[in-house]
Amino acid sequence: MRRLNRKKTLNLMKELDAFPKVPESYVETSASGGTVSLIAFTTIAFLTIMEFMVYRDTWMKYEYEVDKDFTSKLRINIDITVAMRCQYVGADVLDLAETMVASADGLIYEPVIFDLTPQQKELQRMLQLIQSRLQEEHSLQDVIFKSAFKSASTALPPREDNSLQSPDACRIHGHLYVNKVAGNFHITVGKAIPHPRGHAHLAALVSHESYNFSHRIDHLSFGELIPGIINPLDGTEKIASDHNQMFQYFITVVPTKLHTYKISAETHQFSVTERERVINHAAGSHGVSGIFMKYDISSLMVTVTEEHMPFWQFLVRLCGIIGGIFSTTGILHGFGRFVAEIIFCRFRLGSYKSPSVPLSDGHTSNHLPLITDNSTH
């Protein structure tokens, strides 16, 4: 009884076989079939390698939502060199809430030489080249996000020469914490002093001939400091053509949450537009000489997440490649053989057509004459 049930089960499983086995004696091989098979195997191998490269790669997914965090502080990371002595310049922040943040809260004034060494110039030239490429190819930003913490630091290396030249510039570097509202970070003549109606700078003791707001922005970022991230103003250098010159940067800051397989951080991206003009009250160009960075905080927050193709999706795509190529090449091969047989059959029929034989009454006959014994004599 058990053997009978086992046989019935085996026969049922044989009937459900979707892959019937054809005996080898029924299989006919051909040179054209072998050529098509070789092309199919080569194509499958090439597409499989390409698909594996896609599987190994990752991409950045961008999601947007309203930024509801308006109570926290915003960190500004600054590294700017101005071509004036440190006792002549002052830096501070004034926001729309009339809150003043003095540079003494987190910035350092360091006397330096404005001209760069050859090694520093090379790094600055590289940063400027990257900035120009980023403006043309925005997809490079994803590469920078994925390589954060792995890239070399974008900060200028320290000077290695023992120059006897006295410092002629002031490097202002460090960080400040400000309110998450629009504000104005500026560097101008004189140290900042508090004022009941805002703030003021002690500029009366500095002569106009010593004004020189040529500057170099080695680094400017908002939020958490992430090594390897290149910001839009890194490597910027401006040379003043006049003593009374104003440089303005209008910055829009976008809160950003970055989640990759290497890091998870809360930082800020920003876009910037620039303007510079000479202060000439007689010509109607009013203002104060200096460097002004007016920033505004976007109400949207961007979440950037690095994603990877799931393994099951890779297997499905791989099966689709193999099965699709086999089916397509089989159909094309069968269609090609069908067309070839039709063409060859027509040639064969044309070669077997009988010649026309003229008759005595002027008509022609397409029938071949019978060969008899009398005709052989």
Side-chain angles (χ1 to χ4, degrees):
M1 189 66 178
R2 290 182 178 178
R3 290 183 179 179
L4 183 61
N5 292 334
R6 187 177 300 175
K7 287 184 177 181
K8 289 182 178 180
T9 303
L10 185 60
N11 292 332
L12 179 61
M13 295 302 296
K14 288 182 178 180
E15 292 178 359
L16 294 176
D17 187 5
F19 308 98
K21 308 300 183 295
V22 181
E24 295 184 0
S25 58
Y26 295 162
V27 177
E28 181 181 357
T29 59
S30 62
S32 61
T35 303
V36 173
S37 299
L38 183 61
I39 295 174
F41 291 143
T42 304
T43 306
I44 289 174
F46 175 74
L47 293 180
T48 300
I49 295 174
M50 296 297 294
E51 191 66 26
F52 181 73
M53 293 176 63
V54 173
Y55 170 72
R56 289 186 56 194
D57 195 13
T58 59
W59 61 88
M60 308 305 290
K61 179 182 178 182
Y62 292 81
E63 296 178 335
Y64 303 89
E65 59 180 320
V66 177
D67 184 16
K68 301 178 182 178
D69 183 14
F70 52 86
T71 58
S72 62
K73 293 290 185 177
L74 175 64
R75 171 170 168 159
I76 306 178
N77 307 296
I78 301 164
D79 191 350
I80 302 176
T81 302
V82 186
M84 291 180 65
R85 297 184 182 276
C86 292
Q87 62 267 26
Y88 295 156
V89 294
D92 62 340
V93 177
L94 185 66
D95 59 24
L96 290 182
E98 298 296 332
T99 302
M100 176 182 171
V101 180
S103 61
D105 295 340
L107 296 183
I108 301 173
Y109 292 77
E110 179 184 351
V112 294
I113 300 173
F114 188 77
D115 292 334
L116 298 177
T117 63
Q119 182 184 6
Q120 291 174 330
K121 287 182 179 179
E122 185 65 26
L123 178 60
Q124 185 191 29
R125 193 179 301 112
M126 182 190 68
L127 282 176
Q128 293 174 349
L129 178 61
I130 294 175
Q131 295 289 8
S132 62
R133 292 293 301 274
L134 284 173
Q135 293 177 2
E136 298 174 359
E137 304 177 20
H138 300 284
S139 59
L140 291 177
Q141 186 64 47
D142 293 349
V143 179
I144 294 177
F145 279 151
K146 289 189 287 187
S147 62
F149 279 138
K150 295 193 300 182
S151 304
S153 175
T154 57
L156 286 177
R159 301 184 70 93
E160 297 180 354
D161 57 338
N162 297 322
S163 177
L164 300 177
Q165 179 183 354
S166 61
D168 59 351
C170 183
R171 180 191 176 199
I172 305 174
H173 61 97
H175 62 273
L176 296 172
Y177 287 95
V178 299
N179 299 321
K180 288 188 69 173
V181 295
N184 182 5
F185 170 77
H186 52 273
I187 301 173
T188 187
V189 179
K191 300 300 181 181
I193 57 173
H195 192 273
R197 296 184 180 180
H199 77 295
H201 289 260
L202 292 174
L205 302 179
V206 183
S207 63
H208 281 52
E209 287 72 17
S210 62
Y211 286 16
N212 185 4
F213 284 101
S214 299
H215 61 279
R216 182 176 60 252
I217 304 176
D218 297 325
H219 180 77
L220 179 69
S221 65
F222 297 83
E224 183 179 347
L225 186 60
I226 303 177
I229 297 295
I230 299 177
N231 296 278
L233 286 177
D234 292 353
T236 301
E237 182 174 290
K238 299 290 183 180
I239 303 299
S241 58
D242 191 273
H243 293 293
N244 295 327
Q245 191 157 351
M246 173 189 287
F247 295 92
Q248 293 176 302
Y249 299 92
F250 301 93
I251 300 172
T252 301
V253 183
V254 181
T256 304
K257 291 183 178 180
L258 183 62
H259 301 287
T260 67
Y261 291 104
K262 299 293 182 181
I263 63 170
S264 180
E266 294 187 6
T267 181
H268 291 72
Q269 302 179 81
F270 67 91
S271 61
V272 60
T273 55
E274 306 174 11
R275 183 188 178 192
E276 59 182 80
R277 58 188 175 92
V278 176
I279 303 301
N280 189 348
H281 299 287
S285 178
H286 303 291
V288 179
S289 303
I291 305 167
F292 297 85
M293 298 182 177
K294 299 181 179 181
Y295 59 89
D296 192 9
I297 312 298
S298 174
S299 59
L300 290 179
M301 181 175 61
V302 182
T303 302
V304 185
T305 308
E306 185 178 6
E307 292 192 345
H308 185 271
M309 181 187 296
F311 183 70
W312 65 266
Q313 187 175 353
F314 168 71
L315 291 180
V316 171
R317 292 166 65 98
L318 195 62
C319 292
I321 289 174
I322 297 174
I325 290 178
F326 266 118
S327 301
T328 303
T329 52
I331 293 173
L332 293 177
H333 181 241
F335 181 74
R337 290 188 61 180
F338 175 72
V339 173
E341 289 179 359
I342 292 177
I343 296 175
F344 290 151
C345 285
R346 286 186 177 181
F347 282 135
R348 290 175 183 175
L349 289 175
S351 62
Y352 285 133
K353 285 184 178 180
S354 59
S356 300
V357 180
L359 299 177
S360 59
D361 55 359
H363 295 82
T364 58
S365 174
N366 294 326
H367 300 284
L368 294 175
L370 295 176
I371 300 176
T372 59
D373 293 336
N374 297 330
S375 61
T376 58
H377 297 287

